Amino acid sequence: MGNSRRKFLKNVSGSVAALSLATNASAEEQTVKRTLLPTAKVAAVDKIRIGLIGSGIIGLIDTDAALKVDGVELGAVCDLYDGRLVRAKEKWSKDLFVTKDYRELLARKDIDAVLICTPDHWHQKMAIDAMNAGKHVYCEKPMVKRIEEGQAIIDTQKKTGKVLQVGSQRASSIAILEAKKYFEQGAIGELTYVEAYCDRTDAKGAWQYSIPTDASPQTIDFEAFLGNAPKIPFSAERFFRWRNYKEYGTGSAGDLIVHLLTGLHTITGAIGPTKIMALGEVNYWKDGRDAYDLVNSFMTYPEAKTHPSFQLYTRVNLASGEGKGGFGIKLIGTDGAIDIGWNDFKLKTLKRSVAPGFGGYDSFDSFSAQQKEEFTKWYKEKYGDAKGGFEMGKTIEFTPPKGYDDRVDHMISFFNGIRNGAPILEDATFGLRTAGPSIACNISSAQNKALNWDAVKMKLS
C-alpha cells in the first residue's frame, strides 16, 4: 500500500488525478457528477426454479428481485402463517405449491435453489438441510445466529459443492464495487480510519411491524417457529416482530452492522478485526424487547496485503432524533475520503504541501525579531516560495441510475454461480467473517468488555 497514492496519480487518467486543485472555486465548480453504470450480466438463461422459505417482508422482496433475473421461476413457498401462503398464491400464482413444512419444499425434485428468509435462529439448520437435499442456498444475513454455528455451514457447502450466497446485497452494489476500484488505486492514500452507521427514526425502522388481526395458534404454527428456542405460549408479537428478541434474532448488530462490514470487507479485502468493543442498550423502544436499539462499537483491523492497519467505529441507532435516518460508510485516508451512502458515494482528495509553512497558529510568533529574520531566511533557502497547508481536489459524486436495485445484481451473482460456477464473493466464509464480529458486538455489550477475534479461524480467541 506504500506507493498506492503515487500509482493512482500516475495511472488514473480522467479521474481525480486529472482534476485541478482549486480551493477558491465555487462549490459547483469543485464537484464532478457521474452516473454509475451497472455491470452485472446474466451469464446464461438456463431455467432455475427456486423455493422461498419465509414469505415475510424480506422474503417477498428477495423473491421479486430473483424473478427479475432471466430464466428464474418460483416453484414453491413455505411459511408458518396461513395468511402468507394465501398471499403467495395471490401474488405469484394460484397453482403455486405452498406448505408450512420446509422439508416438504426441500423434498421437491423441481426445486433447484432456495431463498432462506426466516428468523436468524433457523438459518443454520435450514441452510445445511437444503444443501444436503441438493439445493443451492441464498441465505439472508446474518448467516448464523450464533458464531459457533458458522463452521458447519462452511463444511457442508464444501462437502456438497452447492452454491451458498449470503444475502447482504452490499457485496454487489455498484457503489461499493466502484468505490473498491478507487480504494485499490490509492485515491485516498493510506487508509487510517473508517466510520460506519445506520440510523432509523420511525417505528417500522425499529421492527414494530404490523400484526394481522387473525394471528392465532390456529393460523400460525408457533411451535415450529420456536424451533430450538425456549418454549413459551403463543405470542403474535414474537412471531411478527421476532427481531426484537434475542431468542430468535441478533438485534441491530446482526441485522445492520453486518451490512456495514459487508461493504467494508468488499472494498478493502479485509477479513476481520482483531479486537471488538461495543456498548449496547435498549435506549428508546421500551416495548418489552430485549434486543438493543442502540449499539456503538469500536474495532481494530490489523495490517494485511490489501490494506494498512485501521480503526473502525460503527453505530446503529433505531431512535435517531435527526429525523432523516440514513446509512453510510466513510473511509478516511491520508490523502482523501470515500463517503458511501446506499448506492451512491463521494470521493474527495487533497494534496498536502511538502513545506510545513509558518506563522499563524505556530511557534513562529514567539521567536525574537532576529530569530524570525533568520528563520525566514532559512525557510526560503529550504522550501523557496512554497506555502504550507493543503489544497482540496474536486469532489466526484457517483449516483446510481434511476430504478437501480442492488438486490437484483446480488441475485445475478447467485444464479451465475449456479449456472456456470462464477465466483461467489459473499460465500459462507465471507458470511461468517461479517456475521461473527457483528454478533460479537452483542456479546461484548452484554459482558461489558473488549473481545479478541481471530479473523482467520473465525472465532473469539
Side-chain angles (χ1 to χ4, degrees):
M1 295 291 290
N3 65 351
S4 58
R5 173 66 175 176
R6 292 191 295 274
K7 186 188 301 182
F8 171 79
L9 292 173
K10 179 179 179 181
N11 295 337
V12 183
S13 61
S15 63
V16 179
L19 297 174
S20 62
L21 299 171
T23 55
N24 295 324
S26 68
E28 184 175 350
E29 291 174 330
Q30 278 288 88
T31 301
V32 176
K33 297 185 178 182
R34 296 180 180 173
T35 300
L36 293 163
L37 299 177
T39 57
K41 303 294 182 184
V42 178
V45 292
D46 298 339
K47 184 174 72 174
I48 295 177
R49 284 176 64 80
I50 61 172
L52 169 63
I53 305 176
S55 191
I57 301 169
I58 294 300
L60 267 63
I61 293 172
D62 279 353
T63 302
D64 283 343
L67 294 177
K68 290 179 181 177
V69 181
D70 290 345
V72 176
E73 300 176 354
L74 178 63
V77 171
C78 173
D79 200 274
L80 299 177
Y81 167 50
D82 289 342
R84 287 178 175 164
L85 299 181
V86 172
R87 172 58 178 150
K89 289 197 168 195
E90 291 174 345
K91 179 176 175 61
W92 289 304
S93 170
K94 63 182 178 59
D95 299 320
L96 185 67
F97 174 82
V98 297
T99 178
K100 284 188 174 181
D101 188 341
Y102 79 95
R103 293 169 298 184
E104 291 185 354
L105 186 152
L106 295 183
R108 292 183 64 89
K109 296 186 182 301
D110 63 338
I111 299 300
D112 304 303
V114 296
L115 311 182
I116 298 176
C117 304
T118 65
D120 301 346
H121 72 303
W122 271 105
H123 285 182
Q124 188 218 37
K125 178 169 176 50
M126 288 181 173
I128 290 175
D129 286 352
M131 287 185 285
N132 283 333
K135 315 302 182 188
H136 303 286
V137 173
Y138 181 101
C139 182
E140 264 299 331
K141 52 76 196 167
M143 186 179 78
V144 291
K145 181 182 181 296
R146 296 182 296 119
I147 296 170
E148 56 268 27
E149 295 174 337
Q151 189 59 50
I153 294 181
I154 295 171
D155 293 343
T156 303
Q157 189 279 320
K158 290 179 179 178
K159 179 189 73 174
T160 62
K162 294 300 172 183
V163 172
L164 184 140
Q165 178 168 285
V166 180
S168 175
Q169 65 273 25
R170 309 304 302 133
S172 296
S173 165
I174 53 176
I176 294 292
L177 297 179
E178 187 70 9
K180 177 181 177 66
K181 295 177 184 177
Y182 281 89
F183 174 80
E184 290 177 343
Q185 292 163 358
I188 63 171
E190 300 294 307
L191 180 64
T192 59
Y193 174 70
V194 178
E195 55 185 43
Y197 69 93
C198 185
D199 291 338
R200 295 176 173 178
T201 299
D202 65 7
K204 287 186 292 184
W207 314 315
Q208 296 290 62
Y209 299 134
S210 300
I211 298 175
T213 57
D214 69 348
S216 71
Q218 287 69 49
T219 60
I220 295 171
D221 188 341
F222 191 68
E223 184 176 350
F225 161 77
L226 291 176
N228 59 12
K231 303 304 179 185
I232 61 170
F234 174 79
S235 170
E237 284 199 357
R238 285 179 176 254
F239 183 84
F240 287 96
R241 299 176 177 176
W242 57 267
R243 287 198 183 278
N244 291 333
Y245 306 99
K246 294 179 180 178
E247 290 92 341
Y248 326 113
T250 50
S252 54
D255 186 30
L256 301 172
I257 290 179
V258 70
H259 271 316
L260 301 171
L261 296 188
T262 297
L264 174 63
H265 288 191
T266 301
I267 291 170
T268 63
I271 64 172
T274 53
K275 183 166 287 188
I276 301 164
M277 177 66 195
L279 298 172
E281 62 178 313
V282 180
N283 184 57
Y284 178 81
W285 295 102
K286 303 183 188 299
D287 49 12
R289 73 178 65 199
D290 56 16
Y292 305 128
D293 62 6
L294 176 65
V295 177
N296 288 278
S297 76
F298 301 87
M299 305 183 192
T300 57
Y301 278 71
E303 182 180 3
K305 290 182 179 180
T306 59
H307 61 78
S309 60
F310 64 90
Q311 299 176 1
L312 166 67
Y313 160 65
T314 68
R315 179 188 73 245
V316 174
N317 183 4
L318 302 186
S320 172
E322 286 191 280
K324 60 181 181 179
F327 175 95
I329 304 173
K330 183 182 289 187
L331 293 87
I332 303 169
T334 54
D335 300 323
I338 298 173
D339 193 353
I340 305 167
W342 190 252
N343 285 311
D344 59 276
F345 74 97
K346 296 179 181 179
L347 173 63
K348 297 181 179 180
T349 61
L350 64 80
K351 182 180 180 181
R352 288 185 179 83
S353 172
V354 294
F358 66 91
Y361 192 84
D362 180 44
S363 58
F364 178 79
D365 193 48
S366 67
F367 297 173
S368 66
Q370 180 179 349
Q371 179 53 220
K372 285 181 179 178
E373 183 177 342
E374 292 178 1
F375 181 87
T376 301
K377 180 180 178 182
W378 169 84
Y379 186 94
K380 188 174 182 61
E381 290 175 350
K382 183 173 180 63
Y383 297 109
D385 295 326
K387 297 180 179 180
F390 61 89
E391 292 181 323
M392 292 300 301
K394 287 189 177 182
T395 296
I396 308 181
E397 293 184 359
F398 296 86
T399 56
K402 186 177 180 179
Y404 173 73
D405 184 352
D406 52 359
R407 288 183 190 274
V408 175
D409 278 359
H410 206 42
M411 289 295 177
I412 290 173
S413 172
F414 176 54
F415 294 121
N416 284 351
I418 295 172
R419 284 167 165 157
N420 65 4
I424 299 293
L425 170 64
E426 199 175 0
D427 61 9
T429 298
F430 187 107
L432 184 53
R433 283 178 170 156
T434 54
S438 300
I439 295 167
C441 289
N442 288 332
I443 300 172
S444 173
S445 297
Q447 297 181 357
N448 194 30
K449 68 177 184 181
L451 302 175
N452 294 318
W453 174 253
D454 187 326
V456 176
K457 295 181 180 179
M458 296 170 284
K459 64 180 183 179
L460 293 171
S461 59

